[in-house]
Amino acid sequence: LSTILRVRNEDLLTKLKELGFENMTYNYILDSETAALIADEYGFEATTNDNTSVDLFEQPECTEQKLLVPRAPVVTIMGHVDHGKTTILDYLRKSSIVNGEFGGITQHIGAFSVKTPKTKKMITFLDTPGHAAFLKMRQRGADVTDIVVLVVAADDSVMPQTKEAIKHAKNSGVPIIVAINKCDKPDANPDKVVADLAGHDIDVEDYGGETQVVRVSGKTGLGMEDLEESIITLSEVLDLKAQESKTLCEGWVIESEMKKGLGNTATFLVRRGVLERGKIIVAGNTWCKVKIMKDEHGKVLKKAGPSTPVEVIGWKDLPEAGQLGLEAKDEALAKKVILNRMAREEKFKEAQDIEKINEMRQSELREANKRQKIEELAKNGLSLEDIRKLDSEEYKDLLDETKQECEIVPFIIRADVSGSSEAIAESIDGLGNDEVKSKVLYQEVGPPTETDIERAETSGAIIFAFNLKTPKDIILKAERRGVHIKSHNVIYHLIEEVTHELQSRLKPDI
Ligand code: GDP
């Protein structure tokens, strides 16, 4: 401290004595509060570093060519409903069993790998067809997909969701391969599909463009090998590579599920580095020490490199699909990172609560001010008629109102089901009059949590638990922090209690 404050050690000790500290020695450990106090004496302003900046980040892109290795393309299947996405995925999955060294069934883990029959290259397919999954991932910033296979039925051609898929793929800059499906059908007209796609801004290769078009049947398997080889050709053009060694592991959560007997499991698609048993991955606000890793055939893997999807067992809580998972060097760091992330989120939410209350207060205040101005004008001899003639928009609609400074009473709603929580919020939000008004900060499903208590403490909110049992430790915590949790099973009684609460805050008429 003396070094930072630029004073001699002895002088600092003397100063401490003056300040009332006894038996101080040069190696005495000061706590942050005392250190700040002393710094203040020397004219320094101390800020407390609470370590909230500890976090994990993606590593910068690897530019060292010799560290980059080719990786399998990650493919998403999109297209109109009933055009055959699921059938194609099923066919590919089955062929992966036939061509692979494992017999038996594959499990749905959200993604699977296929070895192409001719070139013996790997392709990873995301196993959830449809656009919602693709968009959800992208909303979280997860650019998981390298290639979109656009499935168009040869007997139906371009349909609304086909156009939508084209739009999504183009917006995200992901290249398309067209699979014209159901070519086994007698009424199949693949040439019409090609012409229609050309009309929708797809530069199909049949017309000299770059987009590969493959005629397939998910039912008979016709053209499926060609489709796989087209994917490999495009991935070679895209020159897909990843850093595998000398790096921490990174990847995406593809989906997660609580499985009986296994606990929290999540499918992880490695993007960089190698995932191994014992490694620690942080995703969002949860982490895992990899206990077991399995592929889609249920085979236990020791290692998983880039573009390999693996089901990982050992998560503390379920991570969310689309979340980026980053390796932490040890458990202590993982825990610290998560605590910090949660603390930051809480601070952010608390700030939002306060902002909501302030906004409401501000708008009530503005109205009260306007009303006051009108009253002043009226006192100065202007009739309401005259004021009306001033033609000021803001005065006009307020002439009949009598707003005063308003107290806002915030509430947090917890209910057993979302239908109830929404109904309650709707019924009680904004209840009251110009003097006191209720404000629902937020409503959620499930019993009250510690976060609710913290948010209630910061905002002065009352928590309502509807049709739920509040855990004992939460009740105790709330009591300790002066937060009220009120339980109800009848909406009508709950509303009544809100009304009473508002009434109790009315200033008595003098
Ligand atoms: P999705 O909604 O795009 O996933 O479509 P599905 O895979 O569920 O297929 C819809 C229907 O089309 C099902 O009845 C399939 O059996 C049928 N189907 C899918 N692919 C083919 C195909 O190549 N040929 C024929 N004849 N029928 C198909």
Side-chain angles (χ1 to χ4, degrees), residues 77-90 129 151 155 180-186 216-221:
I77 307 239
M78 298 219 255
H80 194 72
V81 65
D82 277 346
H83 279 197
K85 298 179 290 292
T86 315
T87 309
I88 289 178
L89 277 168
D90 284 347
V151 176
D155 58 347
I180 303 181
N181 192 31
K182 309 199 185 182
C183 283
D184 60 295
K185 286 181 95 166
V216 302
S217 163
K219 202 167 186 179
T220 66

Side-chain angles (χ1 to χ4, degrees), residues 150-166:
L150 178 66
V151 176
V152 191
D155 58 347
D156 205 21
S157 198
V158 175
M159 284 287 134
Q161 283 168 288
T162 321
K163 292 182 208 162
E164 202 187 275
I166 295 172

Side-chain angles (χ1 to χ4, degrees), residues 412 414 448-449 452-453 456 461-465 483-487:
I412 292 167
R414 281 281 179 176
T449 63
D452 295 331
I453 296 176
I462 295 167
I463 302 173
F464 275 122
V483 170
H484 295 293
I485 300 181
K486 312 212 165 184
S487 297

